[in-house]
Amino acid sequence: MNVLVLGAGQLARMMALAVKPLNINVRAFDVGSGNVFDPLSSNIVFGDLTQGIEFADFITAEFEHIDHQTLALCQASGKLRPSSQAIKVGGDRRLEKDLLVKCDVANAKHKIITTKADFDQALNSLTFPLILKSALAGYDGKGQWRLKDQTNAEEIWHDIKDFFDGGAQGVTNAVVAEQMVPFDREVSLVGARDSQGNTVVYPLTENHHTNGVLSVSIATQVNEALQAQAKQVFDSIANELNYIGVLAIEFFQIGEQLLVNEIAPRVHNSGHWTQQGADTCQFENHLRAVCDLPLGSTALVRPSAMINILGEEQVPNDILNVASTTLHWYGKSKRAGRKMGHINVSGKNEQELATRLQLLADILPEEAFDELKPYVTAYQNKLS
Ligand code: AMP
């Protein structure tokens, strides 16, 4: 079986690694250069998308910000899973909010802003503090604003106007203004749906962000009611999209209630722990769904955590002396803050996982993993 992945980053590479034993050959289309790569050797195999589409039995994607012409070409081949519509929803917060409303799932109260009048109206009708997010992908780290009250409103509006003007020609962007949610923690649900409508989900994963980027995820046995609530949201969104493949849903948890933050129509960073902590990893399950193979068990084999390696091209080899620790490099060149790799660690119970996390936090350099120690300490305190 041959699969073409739109996008040639670490997610395509981890898909290729996971499904080699199933005799599935993955090739990755790099939207920047227009070349198709073998994600394991990094060799160019085709010089254009058309050849990649011909090669493929199925086509999938590792990210959602793909130009609509490319998506249309792939959709027209009849091989694209999930559909171009599902991928577009993940890449445009306007469509995403419409979907959440249509599926009647709880999410932060919001308004869509394209003009100054919309902006004024949003500030009058929503309750501060607010977070304003570009509907389409931000660029150069821009595209999110926070407003505590009316004080800096004019200044922020000018910034948003400049942001719109600096975006791609001929594309109408918007900003989604959302009420800030006083959440207790952020969690995500990663699951898969096949073409017959069967769904499986992994246990809810707790996510910790550092400067807006995921730094640690932990997956343990989870409160059944909360898991059921998340599964219901997953099913309603996945069914509405007639989704095929792995879909991730990020939530804010407040008490025992989950509010959807956003969805990602692809394998997700908060699901990397499944490589060592679940019966079937998310990468294999994604391609099982895409290739019409039976979905694999998503059972948690043992409590597990993932630590992202951001902007570092080395970590001390000593971490591999910590039991049940694995290291996954992405083969990328170093850039500040860039996702370069991740570390997975597991334990037979949460106590053992916490002990191993502490050992890792003691070995990893504090400058590069500055929030790891306090996070692990808080986790240990929660267990004791
Ligand atoms: P996003 O790009 O939507 O994932 O937002 C990035 C981060 O900003 C999230 O992981 C949250 O920590 C925070 N955030 C986003 N939206 C909200 C909200 N409505 N209320 C509180 N925090 C938010």
Side-chain angles (χ1 to χ4, degrees):
M1 195 91 73
N2 295 326
V3 174
L4 179 71
V5 180
L6 303 177
Q10 68 266 21
L11 301 179
R13 176 177 152 118
M14 287 188 274
M15 285 183 215
L17 282 167
V19 298
K20 205 74 193 147
L22 286 173
N23 255 354
I24 299 174
N25 300 305
V26 172
R27 298 289 179 265
F29 174 64
D30 174 30
V31 295
S33 67
N35 291 318
V36 176
F37 288 88
D38 173 342
L40 300 182
S41 68
S42 298
N43 292 332
I44 296 176
V45 286
F46 305 120
D48 65 47
L49 178 61
T50 315
Q51 285 174 289
I53 293 175
E54 267 166 35
F55 153 87
D57 297 299
F58 294 105
I59 305 172
T60 189
E62 64 145 30
F63 76 125
E64 49 275 27
H65 302 292
I66 300 168
D67 75 88
H68 290 186
Q69 208 182 338
T70 300
L71 284 180
L73 258 180
C74 294
Q75 184 72 35
S77 73
K79 301 174 181 177
L80 183 62
R81 294 172 161 201
S83 68
S84 61
Q85 182 219 356
I87 296 170
K88 283 179 193 166
V89 167
D92 187 331
R93 292 186 196 272
R94 288 167 287 200
L95 302 177
E96 188 176 52
K97 283 291 189 188
D98 287 348
L99 174 73
L100 300 182
V101 171
K102 191 165 182 195
C103 293
D104 200 20
V105 296
N107 64 98
K109 202 170 166 198
H110 67 279
K111 295 274 175 207
I112 311 281
I113 296 172
T114 45
T115 64
K116 176 72 163 67
D118 297 337
F119 180 77
D120 291 339
Q121 210 227 334
L123 268 54
N124 283 328
S125 58
L126 297 173
T127 308
F128 287 104
L130 303 178
I131 180 163
L132 288 80
K133 307 176 187 176
S134 170
L136 303 173
Y139 53 90
D140 297 338
K142 294 179 187 149
Q144 285 204 0
W145 301 264
R146 289 179 188 221
L147 265 178
K148 271 204 262 114
D149 49 39
Q150 287 277 3
T151 319
N152 297 324
E154 286 303 313
E155 206 180 301
I156 298 244
W157 170 250
H158 285 297
D159 210 28
I160 291 172
K161 257 314 259 131
D162 288 347
F163 177 78
F164 284 165
D165 294 343
Q169 292 288 313
V171 176
T172 313
N173 200 352
V175 159
V176 177
E178 247 178 46
Q179 285 183 192
M180 289 291 278
V181 173
F183 59 80
D184 299 320
R185 61 177 192 152
E186 293 185 77
V187 295
S188 57
L189 190 76
V190 173
R193 183 179 183 277
D194 68 16
S195 61
Q196 305 303 305
N198 299 306
T199 57
V200 289
V201 297
Y202 293 96
L204 275 167
T205 303
E206 177 178 303
N207 300 319
H208 179 69
H209 297 87
T210 304
N211 303 324
V213 179
L214 183 69
S215 47
V216 184
S217 288
I218 295 200
T220 57
Q221 281 306 343
V222 72
N223 168 331
E224 270 178 38
L226 203 65
Q227 181 75 17
Q229 196 184 135
K231 172 77 162 54
Q232 202 171 24
V233 171
F234 181 92
D235 283 347
S236 69
I237 292 176
N239 290 337
E240 176 62 35
L241 292 170
N242 202 12
Y243 197 88
I244 303 175
V246 161
L247 168 74
I249 304 181
E250 294 182 41
F251 296 96
F252 300 125
Q253 184 181 346
I254 311 159
E256 292 307 304
Q257 213 218 336
L258 295 174
L259 294 190
V260 175
N261 174 24
E262 60 182 5
I263 67 167
R266 56 175 164 80
V267 289
H268 196 253
N269 198 169
S270 68
H272 290 1
W273 65 267
T274 62
Q275 290 170 310
Q276 272 74 41
D279 252 344
T280 316
C281 78
Q282 63 164 348
F283 303 101
E284 179 174 335
N285 251 341
H286 179 62
L287 289 190
R288 284 197 192 201
V290 165
C291 297
D292 279 336
L293 297 171
L295 297 176
S297 157
T298 48
L300 181 84
V301 176
R302 47 196 184 156
S304 298
M306 185 236 35
I307 302 164
N308 261 342
I309 303 172
L310 302 169
E312 297 293 307
E313 56 189 348
Q314 297 184 47
V315 290
N317 288 337
D318 240 15
I319 63 162
L320 295 175
N321 281 320
V322 178
S324 298
T325 295
T326 56
L327 179 56
H328 304 254
W329 288 114
Y330 307 152
K332 299 200 288 195
S333 52
K334 181 174 167 160
R335 209 168 52 217
R338 191 174 201 196
K339 289 180 181 173
M340 302 291 289
H342 68 270
I343 299 161
N344 283 340
V345 57
S346 306
K348 64 178 178 299
N349 51 40
E350 284 199 65
Q351 207 56 59
E352 191 171 75
L353 174 62
T355 305
R356 290 174 181 168
L357 275 168
Q358 183 65 60
L359 290 170
L360 291 173
D362 289 342
I363 299 168
L364 290 164
E366 218 158 323
E367 323 78 76
F369 296 86
D370 55 339
E371 291 191 23
L372 184 59
K373 268 195 180 153
Y375 182 76
V376 173
T377 306
Y379 179 54
Q380 281 180 323
N381 291 341
K382 199 183 81 184
L383 293 182
S384 58

PDB file of all heavy atoms in Angstrom, residues 232-253:
ATOM      1  N   GLN A 232     -17.895  11.726  23.658  1.00  0.00           N
ATOM      2  CA  GLN A 232     -19.144  12.172  23.026  1.00  0.00           C
ATOM      3  C   GLN A 232     -18.866  13.344  22.074  1.00  0.00           C
ATOM      4  O   GLN A 232     -19.388  13.395  20.968  1.00  0.00           O
ATOM      5  CB  GLN A 232     -20.100  12.615  24.122  1.00  0.00           C
ATOM      6  CG  GLN A 232     -21.527  12.593  23.677  1.00  0.00           C
ATOM      7  CD  GLN A 232     -22.466  12.825  24.861  1.00  0.00           C
ATOM      8  OE1 GLN A 232     -22.072  13.424  25.868  1.00  0.00           O
ATOM      9  NE2 GLN A 232     -23.687  12.372  24.735  1.00  0.00           N
ATOM     10  N   VAL A 233     -18.009  14.262  22.528  1.00  0.00           N
ATOM     11  CA  VAL A 233     -17.638  15.410  21.680  1.00  0.00           C
ATOM     12  C   VAL A 233     -16.893  14.900  20.443  1.00  0.00           C
ATOM     13  O   VAL A 233     -17.155  15.315  19.310  1.00  0.00           O
ATOM     14  CB  VAL A 233     -16.763  16.411  22.470  1.00  0.00           C
ATOM     15  CG1 VAL A 233     -16.202  17.478  21.550  1.00  0.00           C
ATOM     16  CG2 VAL A 233     -17.553  17.031  23.607  1.00  0.00           C
ATOM     17  N   PHE A 234     -15.970  13.966  20.674  1.00  0.00           N
ATOM     18  CA  PHE A 234     -15.194  13.408  19.553  1.00  0.00           C
ATOM     19  C   PHE A 234     -16.135  12.802  18.519  1.00  0.00           C
ATOM     20  O   PHE A 234     -16.027  13.074  17.313  1.00  0.00           O
ATOM     21  CB  PHE A 234     -14.211  12.337  20.070  1.00  0.00           C
ATOM     22  CG  PHE A 234     -13.377  11.737  18.976  1.00  0.00           C
ATOM     23  CD1 PHE A 234     -12.141  12.274  18.658  1.00  0.00           C
ATOM     24  CD2 PHE A 234     -13.841  10.647  18.235  1.00  0.00           C
ATOM     25  CE1 PHE A 234     -11.380  11.738  17.618  1.00  0.00           C
ATOM     26  CE2 PHE A 234     -13.085  10.119  17.198  1.00  0.00           C
ATOM     27  CZ  PHE A 234     -11.849  10.667  16.893  1.00  0.00           C
ATOM     28  N   ASP A 235     -17.075  11.975  18.986  1.00  0.00           N
ATOM     29  CA  ASP A 235     -17.972  11.291  18.047  1.00  0.00           C
ATOM     30  C   ASP A 235     -18.821  12.287  17.278  1.00  0.00           C
ATOM     31  O   ASP A 235     -19.009  12.140  16.069  1.00  0.00           O
ATOM     32  CB  ASP A 235     -18.869  10.297  18.796  1.00  0.00           C
ATOM     33  CG  ASP A 235     -18.114   9.030  19.170  1.00  0.00           C
ATOM     34  OD1 ASP A 235     -16.997   8.826  18.643  1.00  0.00           O
ATOM     35  OD2 ASP A 235     -18.619   8.248  19.988  1.00  0.00           O
ATOM     36  N   SER A 236     -19.317  13.307  17.976  1.00  0.00           N
ATOM     37  CA  SER A 236     -20.210  14.209  17.241  1.00  0.00           C
ATOM     38  C   SER A 236     -19.432  15.007  16.195  1.00  0.00           C
ATOM     39  O   SER A 236     -19.917  15.214  15.074  1.00  0.00           O
ATOM     40  CB  SER A 236     -21.048  15.081  18.175  1.00  0.00           C
ATOM     41  OG  SER A 236     -20.240  15.992  18.820  1.00  0.00           O
ATOM     42  N   ILE A 237     -18.201  15.420  16.503  1.00  0.00           N
ATOM     43  CA  ILE A 237     -17.411  16.177  15.519  1.00  0.00           C
ATOM     44  C   ILE A 237     -16.955  15.248  14.380  1.00  0.00           C
ATOM     45  O   ILE A 237     -17.092  15.576  13.193  1.00  0.00           O
ATOM     46  CB  ILE A 237     -16.199  16.857  16.199  1.00  0.00           C
ATOM     47  CG1 ILE A 237     -16.700  17.962  17.138  1.00  0.00           C
ATOM     48  CG2 ILE A 237     -15.235  17.420  15.169  1.00  0.00           C
ATOM     49  CD1 ILE A 237     -15.623  18.651  17.952  1.00  0.00           C
ATOM     50  N   ALA A 238     -16.436  14.077  14.749  1.00  0.00           N
ATOM     51  CA  ALA A 238     -15.915  13.160  13.714  1.00  0.00           C
ATOM     52  C   ALA A 238     -17.039  12.686  12.789  1.00  0.00           C
ATOM     53  O   ALA A 238     -16.850  12.595  11.573  1.00  0.00           O
ATOM     54  CB  ALA A 238     -15.214  11.974  14.380  1.00  0.00           C
ATOM     55  N   ASN A 239     -18.219  12.432  13.360  1.00  0.00           N
ATOM     56  CA  ASN A 239     -19.338  11.980  12.515  1.00  0.00           C
ATOM     57  C   ASN A 239     -19.825  13.108  11.616  1.00  0.00           C
ATOM     58  O   ASN A 239     -20.120  12.884  10.441  1.00  0.00           O
ATOM     59  CB  ASN A 239     -20.493  11.453  13.375  1.00  0.00           C
ATOM     60  CG  ASN A 239     -20.126  10.131  14.036  1.00  0.00           C
ATOM     61  OD1 ASN A 239     -19.244   9.415  13.564  1.00  0.00           O
ATOM     62  ND2 ASN A 239     -20.786   9.811  15.134  1.00  0.00           N
ATOM     63  N   GLU A 240     -19.905  14.319  12.166  1.00  0.00           N
ATOM     64  CA  GLU A 240     -20.360  15.463  11.367  1.00  0.00           C
ATOM     65  C   GLU A 240     -19.452  15.657  10.147  1.00  0.00           C
ATOM     66  O   GLU A 240     -19.905  16.000   9.059  1.00  0.00           O
ATOM     67  CB  GLU A 240     -20.371  16.729  12.242  1.00  0.00           C
ATOM     68  CG  GLU A 240     -20.730  18.027  11.537  1.00  0.00           C
ATOM     69  CD  GLU A 240     -22.141  18.029  10.945  1.00  0.00           C
ATOM     70  OE1 GLU A 240     -23.046  17.432  11.556  1.00  0.00           O
ATOM     71  OE2 GLU A 240     -22.317  18.623   9.848  1.00  0.00           O
ATOM     72  N   LEU A 241     -18.138  15.440  10.343  1.00  0.00           N
ATOM     73  CA  LEU A 241     -17.186  15.639   9.244  1.00  0.00           C
ATOM     74  C   LEU A 241     -17.044  14.382   8.378  1.00  0.00           C
ATOM     75  O   LEU A 241     -16.284  14.391   7.412  1.00  0.00           O
ATOM     76  CB  LEU A 241     -15.806  16.019   9.805  1.00  0.00           C
ATOM     77  CG  LEU A 241     -15.692  17.393  10.481  1.00  0.00           C
ATOM     78  CD1 LEU A 241     -14.345  17.525  11.186  1.00  0.00           C
ATOM     79  CD2 LEU A 241     -15.876  18.515   9.462  1.00  0.00           C
ATOM     80  N   ASN A 242     -17.747  13.309   8.743  1.00  0.00           N
ATOM     81  CA  ASN A 242     -17.569  12.022   8.073  1.00  0.00           C
ATOM     82  C   ASN A 242     -16.063  11.719   7.992  1.00  0.00           C
ATOM     83  O   ASN A 242     -15.521  11.365   6.945  1.00  0.00           O
ATOM     84  CB  ASN A 242     -18.207  12.054   6.684  1.00  0.00           C
ATOM     85  CG  ASN A 242     -18.513  10.653   6.205  1.00  0.00           C
ATOM     86  OD1 ASN A 242     -18.450   9.700   6.976  1.00  0.00           O
ATOM     87  ND2 ASN A 242     -18.788  10.521   4.917  1.00  0.00           N
ATOM     88  N   TYR A 243     -15.444  11.875   9.114  1.00  0.00           N
ATOM     89  CA  TYR A 243     -13.990  11.919   9.224  1.00  0.00           C
ATOM     90  C   TYR A 243     -13.361  10.534   9.056  1.00  0.00           C
ATOM     91  O   TYR A 243     -13.883   9.543   9.550  1.00  0.00           O
ATOM     92  CB  TYR A 243     -13.638  12.473  10.618  1.00  0.00           C
ATOM     93  CG  TYR A 243     -12.224  12.947  10.732  1.00  0.00           C
ATOM     94  CD1 TYR A 243     -11.887  14.243  10.393  1.00  0.00           C
ATOM     95  CD2 TYR A 243     -11.218  12.088  11.158  1.00  0.00           C
ATOM     96  CE1 TYR A 243     -10.572  14.677  10.468  1.00  0.00           C
ATOM     97  CE2 TYR A 243      -9.911  12.509  11.237  1.00  0.00           C
ATOM     98  CZ  TYR A 243      -9.603  13.803  10.888  1.00  0.00           C
ATOM     99  OH  TYR A 243      -8.302  14.231  10.966  1.00  0.00           O
ATOM    100  N   ILE A 244     -12.205  10.493   8.403  1.00  0.00           N
ATOM    101  CA  ILE A 244     -11.419   9.248   8.334  1.00  0.00           C
ATOM    102  C   ILE A 244      -9.982   9.576   8.743  1.00  0.00           C
ATOM    103  O   ILE A 244      -9.335  10.426   8.128  1.00  0.00           O
ATOM    104  CB  ILE A 244     -11.424   8.630   6.917  1.00  0.00           C
ATOM    105  CG1 ILE A 244     -12.863   8.362   6.447  1.00  0.00           C
ATOM    106  CG2 ILE A 244     -10.601   7.340   6.893  1.00  0.00           C
ATOM    107  CD1 ILE A 244     -12.963   7.862   5.008  1.00  0.00           C
ATOM    108  N   GLY A 245      -9.510   8.880   9.795  1.00  0.00           N
ATOM    109  CA  GLY A 245      -8.135   9.111  10.250  1.00  0.00           C
ATOM    110  C   GLY A 245      -8.114   9.510  11.713  1.00  0.00           C
ATOM    111  O   GLY A 245      -9.118   9.390  12.420  1.00  0.00           O
ATOM    112  N   VAL A 246      -6.958   9.992  12.154  1.00  0.00           N
ATOM    113  CA  VAL A 246      -6.829  10.467  13.539  1.00  0.00           C
ATOM    114  C   VAL A 246      -7.206  11.941  13.598  1.00  0.00           C
ATOM    115  O   VAL A 246      -6.832  12.732  12.724  1.00  0.00           O
ATOM    116  CB  VAL A 246      -5.389  10.231  14.081  1.00  0.00           C
ATOM    117  CG1 VAL A 246      -5.100  11.109  15.288  1.00  0.00           C
ATOM    118  CG2 VAL A 246      -5.204   8.766  14.469  1.00  0.00           C
ATOM    119  N   LEU A 247      -7.965  12.266  14.629  1.00  0.00           N
ATOM    120  CA  LEU A 247      -8.429  13.635  14.871  1.00  0.00           C
ATOM    121  C   LEU A 247      -8.104  13.959  16.327  1.00  0.00           C
ATOM    122  O   LEU A 247      -8.305  13.119  17.204  1.00  0.00           O
ATOM    123  CB  LEU A 247      -9.950  13.683  14.655  1.00  0.00           C
ATOM    124  CG  LEU A 247     -10.724  14.908  15.115  1.00  0.00           C
ATOM    125  CD1 LEU A 247     -10.463  16.087  14.167  1.00  0.00           C
ATOM    126  CD2 LEU A 247     -12.238  14.622  15.154  1.00  0.00           C
ATOM    127  N   ALA A 248      -7.591  15.160  16.578  1.00  0.00           N
ATOM    128  CA  ALA A 248      -7.283  15.552  17.960  1.00  0.00           C
ATOM    129  C   ALA A 248      -8.184  16.713  18.361  1.00  0.00           C
ATOM    130  O   ALA A 248      -8.450  17.610  17.549  1.00  0.00           O
ATOM    131  CB  ALA A 248      -5.821  15.967  18.071  1.00  0.00           C
ATOM    132  N   ILE A 249      -8.651  16.677  19.593  1.00  0.00           N
ATOM    133  CA  ILE A 249      -9.489  17.769  20.109  1.00  0.00           C
ATOM    134  C   ILE A 249      -8.853  18.292  21.392  1.00  0.00           C
ATOM    135  O   ILE A 249      -8.589  17.529  22.320  1.00  0.00           O
ATOM    136  CB  ILE A 249     -10.925  17.284  20.395  1.00  0.00           C
ATOM    137  CG1 ILE A 249     -11.507  16.663  19.120  1.00  0.00           C
ATOM    138  CG2 ILE A 249     -11.799  18.441  20.887  1.00  0.00           C
ATOM    139  CD1 ILE A 249     -12.918  16.162  19.251  1.00  0.00           C
ATOM    140  N   GLU A 250      -8.574  19.602  21.413  1.00  0.00           N
ATOM    141  CA  GLU A 250      -7.987  20.221  22.602  1.00  0.00           C
ATOM    142  C   GLU A 250      -9.103  20.848  23.426  1.00  0.00           C
ATOM    143  O   GLU A 250      -9.976  21.530  22.878  1.00  0.00           O
ATOM    144  CB  GLU A 250      -6.980  21.295  22.205  1.00  0.00           C
ATOM    145  CG  GLU A 250      -5.763  20.729  21.495  1.00  0.00           C
ATOM    146  CD  GLU A 250      -4.762  21.820  21.146  1.00  0.00           C
ATOM    147  OE1 GLU A 250      -4.519  22.713  21.957  1.00  0.00           O
ATOM    148  OE2 GLU A 250      -4.241  21.764  20.019  1.00  0.00           O
ATOM    149  N   PHE A 251      -9.040  20.605  24.743  1.00  0.00           N
ATOM    150  CA  PHE A 251     -10.086  21.108  25.640  1.00  0.00           C
ATOM    151  C   PHE A 251      -9.485  21.951  26.756  1.00  0.00           C
ATOM    152  O   PHE A 251      -8.346  21.735  27.176  1.00  0.00           O
ATOM    153  CB  PHE A 251     -10.784  19.946  26.363  1.00  0.00           C
ATOM    154  CG  PHE A 251     -11.537  18.989  25.499  1.00  0.00           C
ATOM    155  CD1 PHE A 251     -10.937  17.803  25.069  1.00  0.00           C
ATOM    156  CD2 PHE A 251     -12.862  19.217  25.159  1.00  0.00           C
ATOM    157  CE1 PHE A 251     -11.645  16.886  24.311  1.00  0.00           C
ATOM    158  CE2 PHE A 251     -13.572  18.304  24.398  1.00  0.00           C
ATOM    159  CZ  PHE A 251     -12.965  17.139  23.974  1.00  0.00           C
ATOM    160  N   PHE A 252     -10.333  22.831  27.308  1.00  0.00           N
ATOM    161  CA  PHE A 252     -10.087  23.450  28.602  1.00  0.00           C
ATOM    162  C   PHE A 252     -10.962  22.688  29.595  1.00  0.00           C
ATOM    163  O   PHE A 252     -12.146  22.461  29.315  1.00  0.00           O
ATOM    164  CB  PHE A 252     -10.535  24.920  28.620  1.00  0.00           C
ATOM    165  CG  PHE A 252      -9.826  25.772  27.593  1.00  0.00           C
ATOM    166  CD1 PHE A 252     -10.557  26.504  26.669  1.00  0.00           C
ATOM    167  CD2 PHE A 252      -8.443  25.853  27.563  1.00  0.00           C
ATOM    168  CE1 PHE A 252      -9.917  27.285  25.726  1.00  0.00           C
ATOM    169  CE2 PHE A 252      -7.798  26.637  26.618  1.00  0.00           C
ATOM    170  CZ  PHE A 252      -8.538  27.350  25.700  1.00  0.00           C
ATOM    171  N   GLN A 253     -10.381  22.311  30.740  1.00  0.00           N
ATOM    172  CA  GLN A 253     -11.188  21.670  31.779  1.00  0.00           C
ATOM    173  C   GLN A 253     -11.445  22.653  32.900  1.00  0.00           C
ATOM    174  O   GLN A 253     -10.517  23.239  33.464  1.00  0.00           O
ATOM    175  CB  GLN A 253     -10.472  20.428  32.328  1.00  0.00           C
ATOM    176  CG  GLN A 253     -11.343  19.692  33.344  1.00  0.00           C
ATOM    177  CD  GLN A 253     -10.672  18.463  33.938  1.00  0.00           C
ATOM    178  OE1 GLN A 253      -9.661  17.986  33.435  1.00  0.00           O
ATOM    179  NE2 GLN A 253     -11.244  17.961  35.016  1.00  0.00           N
TER     180      GLN A 253
END
